[in-house]
């Protein structure tokens, strides 16, 4: 039994069974599930398209912090 209101998966392909089982349990319990990952995941077919977000986790978290006015440390620029 899970008490969460929703599930957010970040930066995972959901290939391992434990992660996939969490997604399946949330879907079965009719809880909203969103996936933030730059590639496809094993759970994509279970999730409404509007909750599949193809973004990099670090960039998404930085934007969330900016919008919530949470200070974040400057990081060094990494090579692309």
């Amino acid at each position: 039994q899970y008490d969460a209101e929703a599930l957010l998966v970040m930066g995972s392909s959901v290939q391992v069974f434990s992660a996939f089982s969490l997604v399946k349990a949330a879907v079965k319990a009719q809880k909203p599930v969103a996936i933030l990952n730059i590639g496809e995941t094993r759970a994509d077919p279970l999730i409404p398209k509007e909750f599949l977000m193809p973004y990099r986790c670090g960039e998404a978290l930085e934007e969330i912090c900016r919008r919530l006015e949470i200070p974040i440390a400057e990081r060094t620029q990494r090579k692309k």
Side-chain angles (χ1 to χ4, degrees):
Q1 172 109 353
Y2 301 103
D3 293 331
E5 293 179 20
L7 176 64
L8 173 61
V9 177
M10 295 182 67
S12 172
S13 62
V14 194
Q15 291 298 323
V16 296
F17 185 74
S18 57
F20 188 57
S21 65
L22 287 173
V23 172
K24 288 191 328 182
V27 169
K28 184 177 179 181
Q30 298 180 328
K31 305 287 184 171
V33 177
I35 298 178
L36 177 70
N37 194 58
I38 57 172
E40 291 182 15
T41 78
R42 179 179 179 188
D44 285 2
L46 304 176
I47 310 302
K49 297 292 182 215
E50 63 268 19
F51 292 139
L52 297 175
M53 300 171 280
Y55 304 111
R56 295 185 181 279
C57 293
E59 294 165 359
L61 288 172
E62 287 176 359
E63 182 61 25
I64 289 167
C65 287
R66 274 194 280 284
R67 290 182 185 216
L68 295 175
E69 299 179 358
I70 298 170
I72 55 174
E74 292 295 321
R75 65 179 181 152
T76 57
Q77 191 75 312
R78 47 181 167 170
K79 296 178 182 178
K80 291 186 178 183

